[in-house]
Amino acid sequence: MGGKCPHRSVKKRRYSHKTARRTKFLLKGDDAVYQELQKPDGLGQAKALPVDEDLPGMGQYYCLHCDRYFANVTVRDDHFKTKKHKKRVKIMMGDAPHTQLDAELAAGMGMPDNGPKLMSMG
C-alpha cells in the first residue's frame, strides 16, 4: 500500500526521542579535554572516580582522552585498542586545538589589533 502515515505526531515523537538520547551523554569539547590533560595532576595517576549511578559502570571506567564512560573494564580496554581512541590520543598530545577565542578572532569579532602604539609628538 504505502503512502503517508495518517498520524503525523508519530514522526515528531521519533525525532524528540533521538535528541533526548543524544543529549544524555554530552561530551566535552577538544579544548576542554586538552586543558584537562595539561594539568600537572591529570594524566599519570589513576584517581578514584566518584560513584555516579546515572553513568555507565557507575562512573568508574572513564577514558580521559575521549571523555567517555564505559560499562566495565573489558569494554574500556577494548576501546583503548581502537583506531578512534589512538587518533584522539595523537591529537591531544600534539598542538593545542582551536578555542572559541581563536574562532572569534578569525571571524573578526575579537578585540581589534591596532598595532603598536606610537609615541605622541609634543
Side-chain angles (χ1 to χ4, degrees), residues 8-118:
R8 294 185 186 267
S9 63
V10 171
K11 188 173 184 181
K12 290 179 184 176
R13 250 186 283 137
R14 186 169 50 221
Y15 286 126
S16 66
H17 168 72
K18 286 182 180 179
T19 56
R21 181 73 182 148
R22 225 177 275 133
T23 58
K24 185 175 181 182
F25 302 110
L26 289 176
L27 298 177
K28 294 179 192 172
D30 289 349
D31 52 340
V33 173
Y34 185 81
Q35 288 175 354
E36 190 77 22
L37 287 170
Q38 297 306 314
K39 289 182 181 176
D41 62 336
L43 185 60
Q45 299 83 14
K47 297 185 291 185
L49 296 170
V51 175
D52 188 357
E53 295 179 3
D54 296 332
L55 295 172
M58 304 290 276
Q60 297 301 302
Y61 311 107
Y62 180 66
C63 174
L64 186 63
H65 297 94
C66 302
D67 188 41
R68 286 188 60 189
Y69 289 94
F70 298 96
N72 55 33
V73 178
T74 56
V75 176
R76 186 191 62 189
D77 291 342
D78 289 343
H79 164 75
F80 288 156
K81 298 173 188 172
T82 61
K83 184 185 283 189
K84 190 173 184 180
H85 173 77
K86 290 177 183 178
K87 282 186 179 181
R88 185 86 171 164
V89 170
K90 189 175 181 180
I91 289 170
M92 290 299 145
M93 292 301 165
D95 294 334
H98 296 291
T99 61
Q100 183 65 31
L101 180 63
D102 294 338
E104 289 174 358
L105 290 174
M109 295 169 38
M111 301 182 319
D113 183 19
N114 296 331
K117 292 189 176 191
L118 300 174

